[in-house]
Each structure stands twice: as structure tokens, then as C-alpha cells.
């Protein structure tokens, strides 16, 4: 068994690195104003969520319309086993 001193901590996750990079970008944009950087990040996140919601609703409408136009398959009288 290796001594505890030789155990290396795991490298930071890719997601953690991305979060840090994004945070630093917002801080650079706001010249280090953390409060303003947070507001910008929240505003951008909310805009992205609203855009994703609009896309989802649009796709849902397309799927719904296709389903109604296509109709249901007629039952041919045979039952699946």
C-alpha cells in the first residue's frame, strides 16, 4: 500500500475548468466587478434558457401537427402477441 503522501489528487474536471474560464471571462468583461459579472452571467443564462424553451415549444408544435396530420394507424384487427 502506498503512503498517503504519494497519492496525487485527481485533476480538475473539464467542466470545472470551463466554469472557471467562463467566470474569468465575465470578470474581464466587467473589469473585475464580481457583482456586475454575476448579473451578466445570470442574464445570459436566462436568455439561453428562454431561447431553448422557444426551440422546444416550436419542435413540440411541429411534432404535434405531424401527429395530427398523419393520424392514427388503422387497427387491422390482429392483436400483437
Amino acid at each position: 500500500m502506498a503512503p498517503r503522501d504519494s497519492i496525487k489528487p485527481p485533476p480538475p474536471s473539464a467542466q470545472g475548468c470551463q466554469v472557471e474560464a467562463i467566470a474569468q471571462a465575465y470578470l474581464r468583461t466587467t473589469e473585475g466587478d464580481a457583482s456586475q459579472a454575476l448579473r451578466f452571467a445570470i442574464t445570459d443564462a436566462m436568455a439561453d434558457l428562454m431561447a431553448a424553451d422557444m426551440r422546444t415549444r416550436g419542435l413540440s408544435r411541429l411534432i404535434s401537427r405531424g401527429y395530427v396530420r398523419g393520424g392514427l394507424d388503422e387497427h387491422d384487427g390482429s392483436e400483437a402477441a
Side-chain angles (χ1 to χ4, degrees), residues 11-28 41:
S13 70
Q15 183 178 7
C17 291
Q18 290 175 345
V19 169
E20 191 61 33
I22 292 167
Q24 290 303 316
Y26 277 104
L27 284 170
R28 278 192 305 275

Side-chain angles (χ1 to χ4, degrees), residues 47-62:
D48 288 345
L49 285 172
M50 288 190 303
D53 184 51
M54 289 174 56
R55 284 191 304 272
T56 300
R57 287 176 190 232
L59 290 174
S60 179
R61 281 192 298 274
L62 290 175

Side-chain angles (χ1 to χ4, degrees), residues 2-80:
R4 286 188 158 255
D5 295 338
S6 66
I7 299 174
K8 295 181 183 177
S13 70
Q15 183 178 7
C17 291
Q18 290 175 345
V19 169
E20 191 61 33
I22 292 167
Q24 290 303 316
Y26 277 104
L27 284 170
R28 278 192 305 275
T29 299
T30 61
E31 298 177 352
D33 184 341
S35 178
Q36 189 66 35
L38 178 60
R39 285 182 177 82
F40 284 173
I42 291 170
T43 300
D44 289 347
M46 290 179 67
D48 288 345
L49 285 172
M50 288 190 303
D53 184 51
M54 289 174 56
R55 284 191 304 272
T56 300
R57 287 176 190 232
L59 290 174
S60 179
R61 281 192 298 274
L62 290 175
I63 292 168
S64 178
R65 288 180 184 158
Y67 178 74
V68 171
R69 286 184 187 151
L72 297 172
D73 289 339
E74 293 296 321
H75 184 61
D76 64 4
S78 63
E79 294 293 324

